Structure formats: C-alpha cells, structure tokens
Amino acid sequence: MNTVFSLLQFDAIREQLCSLALSERARERLRAVSPCKTLEEARRRQAETTEARQVAEAYGAPPLAAMQELDKCLTLCASGAMLLPAQLMAVMQFIASCRRMRAYLKKAELLDVGLAYYGTGMGEMDDLYEEIDRCIVNEQVDSAASPALKDIRRRMENLQGQVKIKLLSILQSKRTIFSDSSFVMRNGRFVLPVKREFRSQVSGTLVEVSGTGATCFIEPSAVTKIQQELASLAVEEENEVRKILYTLSALVDDFSGGLRAAAEAMEALDVVFARGKLSMRMQAAPPVLTEERKIVIRAGRHPLLEKDTAVPLDFWMGEGVSGVVITGPNTGGKTVALKTAGLLSMMAQSGLHVPAAKESVFCMHSAYWCDIGDGQSISENLSTFSAHMKSIIAILEKADAHSLVLMDELGSGTDPAEGMGIAIAVLEELRERGCLFIATSHYPEVKEYAASAPGLCNARMAFDRQTLQPLYRLELGLAGESCALYIAKRLGLPERLLERAQREAGRSGRRPEVPAAGGEPLPAPPIPAGPAASLPEEPPEEKDRPRFALGDSVRVQPGGETGLVFAPEDGRGQVGVQVKGEKRWVLYKRLKLQIPASELYPPDYDFSILFDTVANRKARHAMEKGHRPDLTIHYDPPARP
C-alpha cells in the first residue's frame, strides 16, 4: 500500500540521508525521519542542520565512527564475558575517534554553534585506551601485557630453539632419508619429513602421513621430552592470555557508562551531519518556518530531478488563499509542481534544508493527505476512478484545518460531467474546512469555480505558443488552457473546421477555450521575518542577460556560426536557432546577439518566408482560401537536447 511518504517520494530522501551516515544506528534513525509535531522542534532541527553544514564547510568532513562492534562489546562485558583482541581493538579505535571528534568540535566552537558542545558528551577515556594499547598489538596479546606472560614466552622460545638445533642435527647426519632439507610443523609439533621406505631408520612418534603416502612426518624421540615441556608452557600461555583478556574486558565494563554516552553523542552527530551533507549535496537552503498557514516557494526544485534541467518552481498560498487549482494540458508539469510543493513542505517540517531560495516559507501541518497516481489495484479489482474515490473518501474523513491535502487529476476516470461535479464538491468541502490544499484538474468548470470561490486561486503551467511546447513553469492567478484549438490553428487546420469545432464544443455544453490574450501571474506575498538560520550568500542570478526575439541575428558559440532565431527562449533556457537552413535548440548562454530583428525587418514582416518551406507556405496560402483535402502541412521541429 502506498503511503504519503512514498507518494511524495520522501522515502527516497530518507535513503539519501542513510547513504550519508556512517553508523548503522544513525541509519536506523534516518530511515524513520518524519515531520516534526511542533514548530519549536522543527526550528531546532533546522538550526542543527544549518550548523552541521557550516561546520562541515569550514573544517571538512567530521571524523565520525562506524561503531560496528561497540554495542556487542559492551553487552558481552556486562554479562562477564571475555572480549577477543580484535574486539578490544575496536573499543580502542572508537576511543581514538572520540578524541578526534572532540578536537574537531573544539575548532567548531570558533563558529559559536551549539553543535560544538556535543564534545562534552565524550568524556576522557585515556586510561582505558592506553591499557588496551599496551596489551594488544596487531590484534594479539603482546608479551609486555604481564611479567608472567613475558616469562612463559621467553621459556617457550628457548625450548623451541633447542628443538630446532636437535632437528637440524638429525637432518644433516642422514640427508638421504628425508624428502626435504628442513623440519616442519604438524599439529603444533616440530617433525621431520622422512621418506616412507626409511621410516624404520628414525626413532620417534609418527604424527602424520602425506596425502600421497610417500612422506611420514615423525617426531624424533630426542625432542619428545622438550616438546612435552613446550605443550605444558602453551597451556600456561593460553591461561595467562585469557586472564589478561578478562582483566581488559572488566576494565571496558568499568568505562561502559562513558563509552555509551560517547556512542550516543557520536550517533546524534552522525544523524545531524547527514542532514548537513544532504543540504550541501542538494545545494539547499534553510527555509523560514512560520506559525501562519502559508507556503511560499521561490526558485524551488524537486530534489530528485536533475538540477541543470529542472525548471524552478515559484509558488505561494496563504494570505487569504487556502486552495490552489492547477490546470492545463498533459505533460505540462502539473503533477511535478504538486509533488514539489508537498515534498519540500515535508522536508522543511522534518528539519531538512530545501532546494529553494532561502526566503522560502513553510508552515506546520498536522498531517499530509495525498491522492496521486491512478492507484489501480488488480488484487482488489478497482478501476482508476474507484481507487481515486476510495482515497478521496479516506482524506475527507480525516483532513482538518491544519492538514495539507494534495490531489492529482481530481474527478478524472469517469463521465466528465459527473467527474467535474465531484471535483467541485470535494474542493468546496476542503475550502469550508479551512485546510491548505493543491489540486490539478482538466475541467473548465473547475477553473471557473476556483476563480469565483473565496480563498481559491487558479494556476496554470506555462505553454510556449511559438514552439507548441510546455515550459514547465507555474503561473499563479491564471487558469490553464487545453490549447487544442490553438495548436490546431497553428498547425494549419482550416478556419472553417476551427469554426465547426467551436460550434460543436459549445453544443456539448462546454465553452471552447479560445486562446487568451495572456495576463500576468500573481506576485508572491512578502516574506515574514523568521528565526531561520542563514548560510553564506549565494551568487545572485544574472539579471541582465539577453532575451532573444524572433528574427534576431545571432552568433552560436563555439565556432561563431551565424543564425536567425526562429523560436524564443523556452522555460529551459533553450532558444530555437536556424543555421544554414538547419533548425537547432541552443542554450541562451551560447548565443551572442549580432543584429536585433527590429533593425533587420519591418514590424509586420512574415517570418514564415525565412523559417517555413516553400511547399508549406503554398499549402497554407491555398488553405486560407478554402478547404483543400489534398494538401498537408508538415511540421518537423528539431529534437530538443
């Protein structure tokens, strides 16, 4: 079952956070990140995220510890168990990480951030560190760990020397009976490799036979007594090693309180710095959090879309507007705008920075309710409309004045007249409840309702009339158009057919949407003063860059080719340029204006002479005189990069 976190893709944001954490315990906490319940908590988390980013940008990545073995080690010690040398080394390495983190946070105090004082939760544990370091070397108990162990190993070394001397003497005296010129170890004992046919010539104990049976590994009688002494000393060595390990384990248990406190501080820092790293990765900014029921997004980006290609979203609601209805043709970006507003709100309320201008404002929501996607269920045999209605009914049962409700294609999947009626009824109910809501729709009647209902506002996705392409830019205060008749006219549908289409649309009870003269989007409300933390100023956007008009003569860089603009800049910064008869889309930054069209052509100049084929121009001229079913107009725009 889809949850609001998966519908808004907040789960993907959680996974990005987890990838930036080092310890498993921190990752578990980040997988459970959710919107804060109170404004104070959200502001506190935002301040921590801002401080973590400031510290990381000033002093580099923090020296966090993975702490993979620490919990297990402390649990074993508490039960009286013995830690192995590798586990003691892990404890020592954690203490070393705490030392480095305290030094790192000490430098951070210069920034006057509260995050720096996490270092006080990592107490001094030098005595434990030094004792483990003295006793454990290369994951082995060192001979210097105790005088007894040092003496045992010295005696063992002397006896091993005696055994080696005797074995070498036997090897040199009877070289022909051995399969190798040196002694070897088998089952922890020094033995000689005797050829099978000479087995009887060496007095001693058979320890092992080679896989082929050609070699017998024999412990000569001359060294048996010495090796028995060695075996006895090995038992003493093992007992002394265990004694040392138990002593060190008990010492770790004595420091368990300090180790657990340090681990908790390290875990908290891991969580906070993951949020700061995500802010840097997304080039995000801390939003303003307010008690007012309002959302203001300036230059917002969906965090899962490519930054270079995503069209920034400018959006606001509040200040008397509780609902926004986004209309317009398919593929225009309505759903992306809806999801972006919802996801950025959820991120801000969860203490995360948002990929938007730092003046963006978000309020707290008691709950997020979404109906996004067709929700069709094979197992439950639900149609698209039934799935939508099931979701909407669940929303209406619980949504209140402090909720944020997001509904995509409201009333779709059924008879248009009935779907339109349901859409208006649902919007009216949400309006009366006073919750903030955003909905997308195709119905003209819904646009009319939004235009007249108090507290509601229309919005549309911008559409390039020259290239017939969506611009993915949201315009508040303006209703969207289907643009079907406009597109048909641009593509050459005869005037009499357009008139017939308008009459039929009117006869069906719907007014045909004749292209509007334009209009200006509503400006965003002023940003309230708030306690949001600040980051270093980002470079201002270039405000005086050239805007290219139809017919402008330009140079395309690199190369310096000359071309004419056949389509103005779209929402992605791409300009249509015709170079040597070839139409291309070129990023505005690669163009340099040579001569503006106003200096090249008269005001009423027909640019189709330059940009259309002769065949198309003749066909269009003939069509304007009357219906010609034998004629077609071919429109083949260049592929976008």
Side-chain angles (χ1 to χ4, degrees):
M1 179 181 178
N2 285 334
T3 66
V4 67
F5 297 116
S6 59
L7 288 173
L8 288 180
Q9 297 175 286
F10 190 69
D11 283 344
I13 302 300
R14 285 169 163 172
E15 288 305 313
Q16 289 193 19
L17 282 169
C18 289
S19 70
L20 296 170
L22 196 60
S23 67
E24 183 56 36
R25 294 202 310 187
R27 286 193 285 268
E28 288 175 3
R29 286 176 57 178
L30 291 168
R31 288 190 188 98
V33 165
S34 60
C36 301
K37 299 298 183 184
T38 65
L39 182 62
E40 292 72 23
E41 182 186 3
R43 285 176 173 172
R44 178 182 60 79
R45 285 194 194 177
Q46 283 287 348
E48 286 179 344
T49 303
T50 299
E51 290 180 356
R53 177 169 175 175
Q54 288 176 328
V55 172
E57 287 180 330
Y59 301 110
L64 296 161
M67 303 184 291
Q68 294 175 345
E69 290 285 327
L70 189 62
D71 280 339
K72 180 180 178 181
C73 292
L74 295 179
T75 301
L76 288 171
C77 291
S79 65
M82 181 190 78
L83 296 183
L84 299 175
Q87 293 171 318
L88 289 165
M89 288 283 290
V91 173
M92 186 177 72
Q93 289 165 359
F94 174 69
I95 297 172
S97 295
C98 290
R99 285 178 173 178
R100 292 192 294 271
M101 182 56 79
R102 283 201 306 271
Y104 179 85
L105 295 176
K106 188 69 176 175
K107 292 188 293 184
E109 290 180 10
L110 298 174
L111 298 176
D112 192 25
V113 293
L115 200 66
Y117 297 98
Y118 271 95
T120 59
M122 300 178 181
E124 296 288 343
M125 292 173 281
D126 292 346
D127 292 346
L128 176 59
Y129 179 92
E130 291 168 4
E131 186 63 11
I132 297 175
D133 188 43
R134 183 183 70 83
C135 296
I136 308 296
V137 178
N138 296 327
E139 297 191 0
Q140 299 291 330
V141 177
D142 192 65
S143 298
S146 74
L149 182 61
K150 186 174 184 179
D151 180 62
I152 292 169
R153 287 181 174 172
R154 180 184 57 77
R155 288 158 58 196
M156 290 178 70
E157 188 176 346
N158 289 337
L159 290 175
Q160 288 170 354
Q162 294 177 33
V163 170
K164 292 175 183 178
I165 290 172
K166 288 184 179 293
L167 293 177
L168 286 172
S169 175
I170 296 172
L171 281 168
Q172 291 172 359
S173 64
K174 301 178 180 181
R175 292 182 179 180
T176 57
I177 70 173
F178 299 110
S179 61
D180 200 343
S181 60
S182 62
F183 57 83
V184 293
M185 287 284 290
R186 287 293 185 273
N187 298 329
R189 298 156 74 180
F190 291 103
V191 295
L192 295 174
V194 182
K195 295 177 182 178
R196 183 179 58 182
E197 59 268 27
F198 299 112
R199 162 73 182 82
S200 60
Q201 295 188 27
V202 178
S203 174
T205 304
L206 179 64
V207 176
E208 191 178 292
V209 178
S210 68
T212 62
T215 302
C216 299
F217 297 99
I218 298 173
E219 179 186 79
S221 302
V223 299
T224 298
K225 185 177 180 180
I226 301 175
Q227 297 228 103
Q228 288 173 347
E229 290 183 47
L230 275 171
S232 177
L233 285 173
V235 173
E236 290 185 39
E237 179 193 30
E238 183 180 356
N239 289 338
E240 183 62 20
V241 166
R242 291 175 67 84
K243 178 181 175 183
I244 293 166
L245 292 177
Y246 269 113
T247 302
L248 291 173
S249 300
L251 187 60
V252 170
D253 191 46
D254 290 342
F255 280 85
S256 62
L259 288 168
R260 290 187 187 280
E264 290 173 3
M266 191 72 76
E267 177 188 338
L269 287 168
D270 201 359
V271 169
V272 173
F273 274 107
R275 301 204 303 257
K277 293 173 190 174
L278 184 66
S279 174
M280 289 189 285
R281 175 189 284 184
M282 292 183 176
Q283 298 181 29
V288 174
L289 296 176
T290 179
E291 295 178 342
E292 298 179 56
R293 297 292 291 156
K294 68 188 302 182
I295 299 173
V296 180
I297 300 174
R298 293 188 172 172
R301 292 178 287 106
H302 194 290
L304 302 181
L305 297 180
E306 290 293 333
K307 180 179 182 297
D308 295 335
T309 57
V311 178
L313 172 69
D314 289 312
F315 174 88
W316 65 268
M317 63 191 313
E319 304 287 342
V321 174
S322 61
V324 174
V325 179
I326 307 174
T327 51
N330 285 328
T331 73
K334 300 193 301 296
T335 302
V336 173
L338 181 87
K339 283 188 172 184
T340 302
L343 180 55
L344 297 194
S345 293
M346 187 172 283
M347 289 175 64
Q349 191 172 342
S350 300
L352 302 175
H353 289 176
V354 296
K358 64 182 181 180
E359 298 89 357
S360 298
V361 182
F362 297 90
C363 61
M364 303 292 288
H365 304 289
S366 61
Y368 292 77
W369 302 103
C370 299
D371 177 41
I372 299 174
D374 63 22
Q376 192 164 353
S377 170
I378 296 174
S379 61
E380 297 183 28
N381 195 27
L382 291 176
S383 68
T384 298
F385 175 72
S386 298
H388 273 300
M389 285 311 305
K390 187 176 180 181
S391 176
I392 289 170
I393 290 169
I395 290 172
L396 294 178
E397 287 176 352
K398 298 179 180 179
D400 58 26
H402 298 284
S403 300
L404 176 63
V405 179
L406 307 170
M407 295 178 293
D408 192 27
E409 298 299 345
L410 182 59
S412 64
T414 187
D415 176 79
E418 294 178 350
M420 172 273 297
I422 290 172
I424 291 177
V426 171
L427 293 176
E428 179 65 16
E429 177 65 20
L430 294 175
R431 187 185 71 83
E432 289 181 354
R433 293 190 188 187
C435 57
L436 296 184
F437 61 91
I438 309 170
T440 69
S441 176
H442 281 301
Y443 298 122
E445 294 85 353
V446 173
K447 307 172 195 176
E448 294 173 4
Y449 164 75
S452 60
L456 266 61
C457 174
N458 270 313
R460 72 181 183 189
M461 303 308 297
F463 186 80
D464 190 325
R465 296 178 178 277
Q466 297 297 321
T467 63
L468 306 181
Q469 297 293 323
L471 298 179
Y472 306 101
R473 186 180 68 247
L474 183 70
E475 296 178 337
L476 285 160
L478 302 174
E481 307 162 7
S482 69
C483 297
L485 296 179
Y486 181 84
I487 293 172
K489 182 176 181 180
R490 281 290 312 275
L491 295 179
L493 188 69
E495 189 66 33
R496 64 186 188 81
L497 295 185
L498 285 171
E499 293 174 359
R500 175 64 181 271
Q502 290 176 354
R503 288 197 304 272
E504 292 300 324
R507 195 173 297 164
S508 69
R510 290 172 176 251
R511 284 198 307 274
E513 293 188 16
V514 181
E520 291 296 325
L522 294 178
I527 303 298
S534 61
L535 290 178
E537 289 285 344
E538 296 182 0
E541 295 184 0
E542 185 182 0
K543 297 180 180 178
D544 57 349
R545 63 180 180 86
R547 301 286 179 176
F548 299 99
L550 192 67
D552 282 351
S553 175
V554 295
R555 280 192 179 277
V556 182
Q557 305 298 336
E561 293 179 295
T562 299
L564 290 177
V565 173
F566 73 86
E569 180 184 331
D570 64 12
R572 294 186 246 181
Q574 303 287 337
V575 180
V577 180
Q578 180 170 292
V579 180
K580 298 178 181 177
E582 177 192 358
K583 290 183 171 63
R584 310 176 188 173
W585 290 103
V586 183
L587 187 64
Y588 75 89
K589 294 180 180 179
R590 294 177 51 204
L591 299 178
K592 184 176 181 180
L593 180 64
Q594 282 198 125
I595 307 173
S598 59
E599 297 180 12
L600 291 173
Y601 310 102
D604 57 349
Y605 186 75
D606 181 7
F607 284 103
S608 67
I609 297 172
L610 299 175
F611 304 128
D612 212 347
T613 64
V614 174
N616 276 356
R617 290 177 56 220
K618 289 182 177 179
R620 185 175 286 108
H621 181 69
M623 288 178 181
E624 289 173 354
K625 295 181 178 180
H627 177 52
R628 289 287 301 275
D630 58 314
L631 294 179
T632 58
I633 294 176
H634 299 277
Y635 180 71
D636 188 19
R640 288 181 178 272

